[in-house]
Amino acid sequence: MAKDTLLSLRNSTMYSVFVRNYSDAGTFRALEEDLPRIRALGTDIIWLMPIHPTGEKNRKGALGSPYAIRDYRAINPEYGTIEDFAHLVDAIHAQGMKCIIDVVYNHTSPDSVLSADHPEYFYHLPDGSFGNRIGDWWDVIDLDYSNAGLWTYQIETLKIWAQYVDGFRCDVAPLVPVGFWNRAREEVASVRPGCIWLAESAEPAFMTFGRSSGIPMASDGELYSAFDLCYDYDAYPTFDGVLTGKNTLSDYARELNRQEIIYPANYVKLRFLENHDRLRASYLIRDPKALVSWTAFNAFQKGCTLIYNGQEKGVTHTPGLFDKDTIDWNHGTIDLSDLMARLSVIRKDPIFADSTYHVRAEGDTLIATHTENPKSPVDPAGGRMVGVFETKGVPAVLSVRKIVPDGIYENLIDHTKIEVAQGHLSTDGSPIILKVEGKENG
């Protein structure tokens, strides 16, 4: 694990922005106008999807994938100028938020600056032409990190952007050598101490495909030596399986509990219900009460909470990556903004930063969780947070005898009173989060 990873990242909320489709204008300036609203959600960190020019050769769609980058050291002119970008980052900081940008270091567009100036930095097919190792990524060509010059160029590029931003979200990080990421972290710290490093780690199926195809791929455990946060993709397929009926809640609980023992003690997961590569949560979870419960559960989990732009309004359509596909902010299924804001306040409790975490499933629809810290330097008072989430939003009764003493508690989400009697807790289907103070918790 990166030794200087801040546990406070577990108290944080991250908001992901695809600038092109965030607004009709699709510019930095248009995004800047909306920063107060984003901050009001409880956002601590804004992640900007790639801000660089996209390639034209082999372009997918009319505008191309933002992940097929032509020039790592330039700004996409569709979004504005470098001055507009700097102004946006200053405005993000003025709102009390940090800013991270996407780093796409496994590949470039076929017509990239690097492919023209340094063809030796690239992976080549047996016939000597450029190529890539993932077949359906036909709009990009892979880089070859056996070349020491590439390491130097890429790290110098990171140091340029670190003068502006607070960190980096690193695309398909497992495909780039961990040694590179370790060196990058060390050198970038000279420009941006406390730089945030987020790895887009891989789902198990992708890892299996890569390694069986002879493509070196790093596991989450390896990536944590250089990164502060990894994606929750090791558990996401089981979550998706719960929604589709392939898996049970007990399966999902086991996956989450396993994370507590296989990763370093200060691991931080990026917890999400959706992102730009996955279907919208409101598309997968059509019942509003169920969506509220899953949203609250996701925020309760140990790690940093991700909101993908539009998620807060219950937007069901996932914006396309290759064309202009503006988010329809006015026709979502449910406005979750107030809930998300409240959850972000709850997550600031020190217990979420340093504690053990346990998930259990009760039947087919009820998740009971608690995060516990009898005492730590972060939270000297100790205590326990307990979450009860009925994933179908229906009334239920749960035994909490071993984790919550009998008494009257406040639901921190909506301030209603929750009675625990004879070791049982009753819910009308709404999510519950309550705190049990002190070390002696029954």
Side-chain angles (χ1 to χ4, degrees), residues 7-302:
L7 291 180
S8 59
L9 286 168
R10 293 175 177 164
N11 298 112
S12 299
T13 298
M14 184 180 296
Y15 190 89
S16 173
V17 175
F18 185 11
V19 176
R20 175 192 292 166
N21 288 330
Y22 187 85
S23 64
D24 289 333
T27 63
F28 295 135
R29 291 287 181 172
L31 171 60
E32 188 175 323
E33 295 174 2
D34 210 27
L35 290 181
R37 186 194 67 82
I38 295 173
R39 177 57 174 160
L41 295 171
T43 302
D44 302 289
I45 304 164
I46 288 184
W47 151 29
L48 302 176
M49 288 169 57
I51 59 170
H52 311 299
T54 60
E56 296 184 6
K57 186 176 181 180
N58 295 347
R59 175 177 279 188
K60 290 183 178 180
L63 299 177
S65 169
Y67 292 92
I69 291 174
R70 191 169 71 247
D71 187 351
Y72 289 126
R73 298 185 177 182
I75 290 289
N76 188 334
E78 300 170 28
Y79 298 168
T81 64
I82 184 63
E83 291 78 18
D84 293 330
F85 173 71
H87 199 273
L88 171 62
V89 175
D90 286 344
I92 290 171
H93 289 158
Q95 287 285 335
M97 298 180 286
K98 294 185 176 182
C99 178
I100 68 174
I101 59 172
D102 240 307
V103 170
V104 188
Y105 270 13
N106 175 68
H107 49 258
T108 74
S109 68
D111 54 353
S112 67
V113 169
L114 273 186
S115 66
D117 295 348
H118 291 282
E120 72 277 13
Y121 289 175
F122 287 81
Y123 166 80
H124 293 273
L125 298 173
D127 65 3
S129 62
F130 293 122
N132 69 68
R133 296 164 293 177
I134 309 295
D136 62 346
W137 296 357
W138 44 263
D139 60 335
V140 297
I141 54 176
D142 283 1
L143 290 158
D144 179 3
Y145 280 84
S146 66
N147 190 299
L150 175 61
W151 288 44
T152 300
Y153 181 91
Q154 299 291 62
I155 291 172
E156 286 301 315
T157 302
L158 289 168
K159 290 164 77 173
I160 291 170
W161 293 112
Q163 297 175 72
Y164 297 91
V165 301
D166 305 288
F168 303 101
R169 178 267 186 188
C170 302
D171 188 64
V172 287
L175 290 173
V176 176
V178 175
F180 169 82
W181 295 124
N182 276 291
R183 178 177 153 189
R185 183 185 182 102
E186 180 179 355
E187 293 195 29
V188 168
S190 66
V191 177
R192 178 68 62 172
C195 182
I196 299 167
W197 292 88
L198 164 62
E200 185 202 20
S201 45
E203 290 190 6
F206 187 61
M207 288 284 294
T208 300
F209 162 76
R211 289 181 171 180
S212 65
S213 302
I215 303 171
M217 296 187 70
S219 66
D220 287 32
E222 294 170 291
L223 291 168
Y224 270 127
S225 69
F227 287 90
D228 302 303
L229 306 100
C230 284
Y231 266 45
D232 196 21
Y233 271 154
D234 51 333
Y236 181 85
T238 310
F239 162 72
D240 183 71
V242 169
L243 299 182
T244 58
K246 179 181 178 181
N247 294 102
T248 66
L249 276 181
S250 294
D251 294 334
Y252 187 38
R254 279 194 295 271
E255 289 294 321
L256 296 175
N257 289 329
R258 188 170 61 93
Q259 293 175 342
E260 280 285 275
I261 59 173
I262 65 172
Y263 296 130
N266 60 338
Y267 81 99
V268 186
K269 278 287 182 179
L270 185 70
R271 305 294 187 178
F272 56 86
L273 295 181
E274 63 180 68
N275 62 52
H276 67 269
D277 283 324
R278 296 294 177 267
L279 291 171
R280 292 282 198 182
S282 55
Y283 178 87
L284 295 170
I285 307 166
R286 290 289 181 163
D287 180 77
K289 292 187 70 175
L291 184 58
V292 165
S293 289
W294 277 113
T295 300
F297 169 70
N298 187 64
F300 189 90
Q301 287 203 73
K302 189 174 189 176

Side-chain angles (χ1 to χ4, degrees), residues 249 285 287-297 360-369 387-398 413 425-433:
L249 276 181
I285 307 166
D287 180 77
K289 292 187 70 175
L291 184 58
V292 165
S293 289
W294 277 113
T295 300
F297 169 70
R360 83 178 198 262
E362 295 287 335
D364 296 330
T365 64
L366 189 64
I367 297 178
T369 59
V388 177
F389 308 97
E390 222 304 318
T391 61
K392 296 295 185 183
V394 299
V397 178
L398 173 72
I413 297 176
L425 182 153
S426 175
T427 170
D428 65 359
S430 301
I432 295 171
I433 297 176

Side-chain angles (χ1 to χ4, degrees), residues 335-378:
D335 191 338
L336 298 166
S337 301
D338 290 344
L339 173 65
M340 290 175 170
R342 183 60 192 154
L343 290 168
S344 72
V345 172
I346 295 171
R347 290 182 48 76
K348 292 297 186 288
D349 190 291
I351 199 169
F352 285 101
D354 188 12
S355 55
T356 60
Y357 179 59
H358 181 76
V359 183
R360 83 178 198 262
E362 295 287 335
D364 296 330
T365 64
L366 189 64
I367 297 178
T369 59
H370 69 273
T371 185
E372 180 176 13
N373 188 352
K375 191 173 183 180
S376 80
V378 174

